[in-house]
Amino acid sequence: MNKQPFAASVSVSVIVPAMNEAENLPHVFATLPDWIDEVILVDGNSTDDTIAVARRLRPDLRVVVQSRRGKGNALIEGFQAARGDIIVMIDADGSTDGREIRSFVSTLLNGADFAKGSRYAPGGGSDDLSPIRSLGNKVLTGMTNLLYGTRYTDLCYGYNAFWARHLDSLELDCDGFEIETLMNVRAAQAGLIIHEVPSHERSRIHGVSNLNAVRDGWRVLKTIMRERMRGAGVPAQTQVALAK
């Protein structure tokens, strides 16, 4: 039975890339709404009991063991396995709040093709962004807006949702943390209606992040420039607005 509390009856898949996140999964899964249709854990060959813990918490869980390394590869393989009409991507470290999924899904049902989380939109925020990461994100966001004519407020954030029917338009093909940037750029290039959703990022609960500000910032910059060199512009009808 579909328990989704929306007027439209759609199915929702939540993709959770994880590597050695056994301690965090109880906190993450506890925030997920009971009306989502499937949760897909994409395991990056964890050496702890991530998969066992996840299955104990959610017996209906689907597990994908990724074929390569990196967050981008994990998300791509999770997207390909998803069966839902709507795909939501969250982190396994406790930084993204599953209770916000309702806002993302509502935004899509209200006409958006791509619901993009933003820590800088009114109502958003972060407990985790360091000054250097915040500055780097703002610079990269500004560069993207200048080169592509978008109006993003937060380029490098991994809480997003989109209609599964648009997955082919995104043509995702990267392995690392630059996946969020690639999605944002290609969603704009594809002429999708993009609405930003205010989101509050929390600090990682346990463990240490694999993100490296310098290394991954450089990969994001290369992605921005490479996509621009591809010559694919942004259609005039592309919309980037704050979700209502």
Side-chain angles (χ1 to χ4, degrees):
M1 178 181 297
N2 192 333
K3 296 176 286 185
Q4 187 173 154
F6 298 107
S9 178
V10 296
S11 54
V12 178
S13 298
V14 176
I15 312 301
V16 188
M19 185 173 70
N20 297 330
E21 300 285 7
E23 288 186 285
N24 293 321
L25 289 179
H27 304 276
V28 174
F29 283 6
T31 70
L32 297 178
D34 61 3
W35 44 261
I36 58 177
D37 296 273
E38 68 172 358
V39 177
I40 299 177
L41 180 90
V42 186
D43 183 67
N45 295 288
S46 296
T47 56
D48 67 359
D49 55 348
T50 288
I51 293 179
V53 169
R55 283 182 166 149
R56 184 166 65 248
L57 293 168
R58 293 193 67 99
D60 60 341
L61 181 81
R62 296 179 58 205
V63 174
V64 173
V65 178
Q66 69 179 105
S67 61
R68 296 201 300 273
R69 294 176 60 86
K71 183 179 182 180
N73 171 251
L75 285 171
I76 290 170
E77 296 193 350
F79 296 161
Q80 292 171 342
R83 300 167 180 162
D85 302 307
I86 288 173
I87 297 174
V88 183
M89 48 192 273
I90 68 170
D91 291 333
D93 59 5
S95 61
T96 49
D97 187 347
R99 287 168 291 225
E100 293 181 354
I101 290 176
R102 184 186 186 102
S103 297
F104 284 86
V105 172
S106 294
T107 297
L108 295 174
L109 292 175
N110 286 330
D113 297 315
F114 190 94
K116 181 190 177 318
S118 173
R119 296 163 290 187
Y120 296 102
S126 176
D127 302 329
D128 187 57
L129 268 176
S130 66
I132 186 64
R133 284 178 55 208
S134 181
L135 176 61
N137 187 22
K138 288 180 179 178
V139 169
L140 293 168
T141 301
M143 181 179 296
T144 298
N145 289 338
L146 180 65
L147 291 176
Y148 295 95
T150 49
R151 293 185 294 169
Y152 292 133
T153 63
D154 191 356
L155 183 69
C156 305
Y157 188 42
Y159 205 164
N160 302 295
F162 57 94
W163 289 99
R165 61 177 179 265
H166 296 307
L167 184 58
D168 288 345
S169 299
L170 299 177
E171 300 181 293
L172 300 174
D173 56 0
C174 68
D175 287 346
F177 281 99
E178 71 274 15
I179 184 71
E180 293 103 355
T181 295
L182 187 66
M183 293 180 73
N184 294 333
V185 169
R186 290 193 177 169
Q189 289 173 327
L192 302 186
I193 299 172
I194 305 164
H195 286 180
E196 290 195 328
V197 178
S199 176
H200 191 98
E201 178 186 39
R202 289 159 174 78
S203 298
R204 165 182 278 275
I205 301 173
H206 299 287
V208 179
S209 173
N210 293 313
L211 177 69
N212 180 286
V214 176
R215 178 197 64 207
D216 295 306
W218 175 243
R219 293 182 69 154
V220 168
L221 177 59
K222 289 196 295 184
T223 298
I224 294 169
M225 301 308 297
R226 184 186 69 240
E227 289 300 300
R228 194 67 186 87
M229 294 295 289
R230 287 177 67 233
V234 175
Q237 72 269 21
T238 295
Q239 301 177 40
V240 180
L242 183 65
K244 297 179 179 179

